[in-house]
Amino acid sequence: MAYTDNEILAGLAEIVNEETGVAVEDVQPEKSFTDDLDIDSISMMTIVVNAEEKFGVRIPDEEVKNLTTVGDAVSFISGAQA
C-alpha cells in the first residue's frame, strides 16, 4: 500500500508523539527533529524503526543523518515506497 505524503506526515506525527510526547500538531514538515522538536539521537532511531515498520520501507543508517526535518523524512519514505 502506497501512502500519500499527508498520510506519512500523520503517521510520523503519531510515532513522534508516542516516542517523545511532542504534540501531533507540532510535527510539521518544516520542523527540525533536533532544533524544533528536541528529539535526541536515541529517540530518533526508535522513530526510524517504527516508521520502517509502519510504512514498510527501509531507512539505511547512513540516510538517517540526512533526515533533519520532518519534511525530509516524509520525502524519503514517499520515495522509498515507490
Side-chain angles (χ1 to χ4, degrees), residues 3 22 24 34 46 48 63 74 82:
Y3 294 92
V22 171
V24 168
T34 55
T46 302
V48 166
E63 190 64 39
V74 170

Side-chain angles (χ1 to χ4, degrees), residues 26-46:
D26 288 342
V27 181
Q28 296 297 317
E30 71 279 4
K31 298 283 184 155
S32 163
F33 285 108
T34 55
D35 296 337
D36 297 321
L37 303 177
D38 273 341
I39 295 174
D40 62 25
S41 58
I42 294 171
S43 292
M44 186 65 184
M45 291 312 297
T46 302

Side-chain angles (χ1 to χ4, degrees), residues 45 48 52 58-66:
M45 291 312 297
V48 166
E52 287 177 326
R58 183 173 183 288
I59 304 172
D61 291 345
E62 61 273 13
E63 190 64 39
V64 173
K65 66 177 182 269
N66 297 325

